[in-house]
């Protein structure tokens, strides 16, 4: 059992109990490069795959063991201008792939995907979160607020979300 399992359970609880429950107006698929229970050893590469049945804008967040949420896609320079095409499979570009690290710890982590017909919002994101090259939200930033930004899109706009879980472990 991952040492931070409670954090993931709390995130799941917030996700399912937020006021504006997510509606799934279209189908999206989110996957990782491992099918064996999504256990990644320190030093392995993590690849993320995405496909939608509607043209959409995408926001990918990586939640680490401490609850920090890093924006993997889009990057701040692209700033939400790229609309992904329906039916086409996408893999996070090479320069976005993650090397699994157990610094500061290993445990339960998750990837969130938010897709919509309109560009996604990243209000409140911090530049170079935890001295990384990525933008994101520190663990202290409310998950409910992030979900509100993504789920609060006008009802007339189509949107969908998905999440996948993974466990990081020390290399043996």
């Amino acid at each position: 059992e991952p040492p931070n399992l409670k954090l993931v359970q709390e995130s799941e609880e917030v996700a399912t109990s937020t006021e504006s429950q997510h509606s799934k107006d279209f189908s999206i698929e989110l996957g990782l490069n491992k099918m064996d229970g999504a256990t990644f050893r320190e030093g392995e590469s993590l690849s993320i795959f995405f496909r939608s049945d509607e043209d959409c804008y995408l926001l990918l967040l990586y939640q680490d063991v401490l609850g920090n949420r890093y924006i993997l896609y889009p990057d701040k320079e692209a700033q939400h201008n790229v609309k992904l095409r329906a039916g086409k499979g996408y893999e996070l570009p090479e320069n976005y792939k993650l090397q699994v690290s157990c610094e500061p710890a290993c445990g339960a982590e998750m990837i969130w995907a938010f897709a919509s017909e309109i560009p996604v919002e990243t209000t409140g994101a911090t530049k170079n979160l935890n001295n990384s090259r990525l933008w994101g939200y520190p663990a202290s930033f409310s998950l409910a607020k992030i979900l509100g930004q993504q789920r609060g899109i006008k009802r007339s706009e189509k949107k969908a979300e998905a999440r996948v879980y993974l466990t990081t472990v020390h290399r043996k």
Side-chain angles (χ1 to χ4, degrees):
E1 185 175 288
N4 69 324
L5 184 60
K6 184 175 176 163
L7 175 66
V8 171
Q9 290 170 334
E10 288 170 357
S11 295
E12 187 65 30
E13 188 176 309
V14 170
T16 57
S17 67
T18 52
E19 186 176 311
S20 53
Q21 283 286 328
H22 77 284
S23 62
K24 195 167 185 178
D25 298 321
F26 56 94
S27 178
I28 61 173
E29 297 172 37
L30 181 63
L32 305 174
N33 56 312
K34 283 197 163 190
M35 299 299 179
D36 66 349
T39 298
F40 289 83
R41 296 204 178 283
E42 189 172 23
E44 290 183 327
S45 289
L46 171 66
S47 296
I48 302 167
F49 304 93
F50 176 81
R51 180 190 324 265
S52 169
D53 66 0
E54 296 273 340
D55 288 353
C56 66
Y57 293 93
L58 174 67
L59 174 65
L60 282 179
L61 295 178
Y62 178 84
Q63 180 174 305
D64 71 9
V65 296
L66 300 177
N68 298 299
R69 294 169 192 95
Y70 296 87
I71 298 171
L72 300 178
Y73 186 88
D75 66 14
K76 208 60 175 174
E77 287 71 44
Q79 197 58 23
H80 324 301
N81 291 330
V82 179
K83 196 167 196 178
L84 304 179
R85 298 291 163 220
K88 181 177 179 191
Y90 291 90
E91 180 178 356
L92 210 56
E94 192 67 37
N95 58 324
Y96 290 91
K97 288 187 181 173
L98 300 175
Q99 192 82 13
V100 174
S101 171
C102 288
E103 289 299 321
C106 284
E109 303 183 12
M110 58 197 320
I111 309 289
W112 298 72
F114 298 95
S116 70
E117 288 184 309
I118 61 173
V120 294
E121 289 292 322
T122 56
T123 305
T126 302
K127 185 177 184 178
N128 298 320
L129 181 62
N130 296 324
N131 297 317
S132 72
R133 62 176 171 78
L134 300 171
W135 288 76
Y137 304 94
S140 60
F141 194 92
S142 165
L143 175 58
K145 189 168 188 169
I146 296 169
L147 293 174
Q149 283 179 345
Q150 303 312 314
R151 294 176 178 172
I153 297 170
K154 298 177 194 165
R155 293 202 183 277
S156 61
E157 304 293 344
K158 290 183 178 179
K159 58 193 166 295
E161 69 181 70
R163 55 191 170 273
V164 294
Y165 302 89
L166 62 137
T167 302
T168 54
V169 296
H170 290 282
R171 181 172 294 285
K172 289 186 178 181

